[in-house]
Amino acid sequence: MSHAPRIPYYQLAPKSFQALLALSATVHASSLGVRLVDLVLLRVSQINGCAFCIDMHWRDLIKQDVDARHLNALAGWREAPFFSDRERAALRWAELITATPHSDASDEEFARLRQHFSDTEIAELGFTIATINAWNLLNVGFRNPVPETV
């Protein structure tokens, strides 16, 4: 597979790109907290195989002084002791929603989520998950490369 970028989508559709950037800024300013948002963004990016977003959100979490060992265990969050019950609930919901055609975001799963989040926070989490899925689809589909240096 070629790793060459296909098209500069951000230049070709600047209004849409700016709107998605604005949504991303809103998601980061939500009541969920930056760490939780970035953990969800990183986990969904791992699921979707978006190297560009994995790299970016890993670096964002490192800047927040999150232990690299904890981030390296994120894909195995069920087994790792590094995540709070609230983070686990968000990660579980993010995985269920991201894999919608192959999962069951059942009433029982939603009830589990409600044990840790208010309705407003659940709505914000939904937008967080939707936003990163959009970025992942764009970056993977158009092969946006991981920068060699930052």
Side-chain angles (χ1 to χ4, degrees), residues 119-141:
D119 287 352
T120 298
E121 290 171 324
I122 291 170
E124 291 174 339
L125 181 59
F127 277 100
T128 300
I129 296 164
T131 302
I132 193 58
N133 273 293
W135 282 119
N136 291 165
L137 293 173
L138 289 165
N139 287 319
V140 170

Side-chain angles (χ1 to χ4, degrees), residues 49-123:
C50 181
F52 181 88
C53 292
I54 291 168
D55 178 66
M56 178 173 52
H57 297 298
W58 187 89
R59 284 185 287 111
D60 289 347
L61 284 155
I62 290 295
K63 289 177 190 171
Q64 296 171 43
D65 293 325
V66 175
D67 189 317
R69 192 167 159 241
H70 297 190
L71 298 181
N72 290 338
L74 183 59
W77 62 266
R78 287 173 185 81
E79 312 271 332
F82 309 125
F83 305 100
S84 70
D85 288 343
R86 180 176 164 87
E87 290 169 339
R88 290 173 188 282
L91 293 167
R92 173 75 179 145
W93 190 250
E95 288 182 356
L96 286 169
I97 297 305
T98 297
T100 294
H102 309 289
S103 72
D104 180 18
S106 66
D107 290 341
E108 292 80 17
E109 291 291 348
F110 190 75
R112 278 192 211 164
L113 186 67
R114 276 192 141 160
Q115 292 174 3
H116 300 280
F117 295 94
S118 70
D119 287 352
T120 298
E121 290 171 324
I122 291 170

